[in-house]
Amino acid sequence: MILIVGAGFSGAVIARTLADANIPIQIIDQRDHVAGNCHTYRDEETGIMLHAYGPHIFHTDNKSVWDFVNQYTTFMPYTNRVKSTTCDQVFSLPINLHTINQFFKSTFSPSEAKTFIENLADKSIDNPETFEEQALAFVGQELYEAFFKSYTEKQWGLSTNVLPASILKRLPVRFNYDDNYFFHKYQGMPKEGYTQLVENILDHPLISVKLNTAFNKNQINDYQHVFYSGPIDGYFDYAHGRLPYRTLDFIKKTGDGDFQGCAVMNYPDADIPFTRIAEHKYFTPWESFEKTVYFEEHRRSCEEGDIPYYPIRLVKDPEILETYENLAAKEEKVTFVGRLGTYRYLDMDVTISDAMDVAKDFLAVRKKIA
Ligand code: FAD
Ligand code: UDP
């Protein structure tokens, strides 16, 4: 029997892959639901599908991941379009030709806009390492300050010159009017939410799910192997200190009709305490509701007892991360997986693809031994 700690995508995908290879699985989660941070539920008052731990949009270029999730639910077409309220106007994100023309009060063609932005970009930065360098080399000072600087400082609680360039590389800049927030080939929303999708992945006679159950290290002896998707520092009882995370406070509001006219509105201005507002009925455009529910997202540093949302990766990561990684490598009976177990900022598709690889590697080693 194998123990899997955490019933998010990491745990669920490993559980299913191993169960399909005839291995019995015990999966536990300390929460009262599966799906980890991707958990969705219907709001009692309005019937709207809510994303309990922040909005989740499925997007990927990885066909095997897309095929995998489509085996377990129906995905509805959904394209994420995000707006940004800054400098007293509403702009389209990611930065595209509409954003550029509106911001600079111009009527550039794609090639004119490209040349214009190239001229604004800081050409002295060859190899951007920090978020700030990446932004200045990418779009220049004005767009950086309007859209990225304060948003990022609110989001991460740190100066943009200690955050890595990789954070900004998640976002494209486009010289056409395409305002799809993502650049991946496949994008969609599970028709009945992520929790139902994960429940379906876990629906296998060899998988037993126990909720409201926290991991205890003594359990390791009762199992052949453990896959652990909880926090890596938590596993070692924070013996070398806590890894830094950002946590989120969601302020829920309910109203009639339509609040903001789109799924996500970002607020980069420094004097607004939240980073964005997500209006969840927009994530199911095939459904209609008279009322609406929206959440302000306030970000702050994660203290003991808070939910760790975003691992804070820096240009120079803290030494304790390496200490924990070295300790983890020595735990022969435990494999550390997922967002918290590997302390990485992972989208769902990467989480699933990594989990598939971990399970396949495990099966390959088992086969070799047998
Ligand atoms: P988790 O979902 O965190 O699951 C880990 C589980 O382990 C949890 O249920 C937890 O309760 C359990 N656990 C932890 N410790 C213990 C313990 N000691 N004992 C028992 N159980 C334990 N990705 C996208 O692709 N698209 C998006 O739009 C998107 N939006 C996001 C928005 C926000 C605000 C955040 C923070 C992330 C977003 N992500 C998005 C990323 C997505 O949430 C992750 O990829 C995914 O949740 C990772 O799954 P996981 O199983 O590794 O971790
Ligand atoms: N970002 C920003 N302004 C925005 C949106 C994003 O500066 O309007 C930065 C911010 O640092 C964020 C990163 O770009 O962490 C990646 O954005 P994404 O929307 O992918 O963040 P997530 O959905 O994970 O919060």
Side-chain angles (χ1 to χ4, degrees), residues 95-142:
I95 291 184
N96 63 67
L97 191 48
H98 203 163
T99 328
I100 295 165
N101 275 332
Q102 184 184 349
F103 190 84
F104 294 105
K105 298 191 175 57
S106 53
T107 55
F108 292 135
S109 68
S111 59
E112 286 167 347
K114 194 158 187 278
T115 309
F116 178 77
I117 295 294
E118 274 167 11
N119 284 334
L120 292 181
D122 186 337
K123 291 180 206 64
S124 67
I125 303 167
D126 273 347
N127 200 0
E129 275 194 11
T130 66
F131 186 100
E132 182 174 43
E133 287 168 352
Q134 176 70 25
L136 293 174
F138 207 35
V139 292
Q141 190 79 33
E142 282 175 87

Side-chain angles (χ1 to χ4, degrees), residues 9 38 40 51 55-61 65-66 69-70 73-81 180-194 197 282-286 348-349 352:
F9 270 114
C38 307
T40 46
H51 299 217
H56 279 74
I57 298 105
F58 204 95
H59 54 97
T60 189
D61 270 336
V65 167
W66 185 240
V69 290
N70 275 277
T73 195
T74 302
F75 267 82
M76 299 299 280
Y78 177 83
T79 303
N80 202 32
R81 298 186 204 284
N180 182 349
Y181 198 66
F182 302 115
F183 42 80
H184 287 142
K185 186 167 173 190
Y186 308 104
Q187 187 172 171
M189 246 338 148
K191 191 169 178 202
E192 282 305 323
Y194 292 97
L197 163 57
Y282 276 96
F283 295 122
T284 54
W286 61 93
M348 290 180 277
D349 62 329
I352 292 171

Side-chain angles (χ1 to χ4, degrees), residues 119-184:
N119 284 334
L120 292 181
D122 186 337
K123 291 180 206 64
S124 67
I125 303 167
D126 273 347
N127 200 0
E129 275 194 11
T130 66
F131 186 100
E132 182 174 43
E133 287 168 352
Q134 176 70 25
L136 293 174
F138 207 35
V139 292
Q141 190 79 33
E142 282 175 87
L143 291 173
Y144 162 58
E145 286 191 357
F147 292 97
F148 300 129
K149 187 174 188 297
S150 300
Y151 185 101
T152 296
E153 286 171 355
K154 282 196 280 186
Q155 154 81 10
W156 296 100
L158 288 164
S159 157
T160 51
N161 57 31
V162 294
L163 292 164
S166 58
I167 296 179
L168 187 60
K169 287 185 188 154
R170 287 168 61 85
L171 304 182
V173 171
R174 298 206 185 95
F175 298 104
N176 58 29
Y177 290 97
D178 180 1
D179 64 351
N180 182 349
Y181 198 66
F182 302 115
F183 42 80
H184 287 142

Side-chain angles (χ1 to χ4, degrees), residues 6 9-10 29-30 36-37 55-57 215 339 346-348 351:
F9 270 114
S10 296
D29 202 298
Q30 62 196 9
N37 275 9
H56 279 74
I57 298 105
F215 172 63
R339 199 176 57 86
L346 299 178
D347 278 329
M348 290 180 277
T351 302

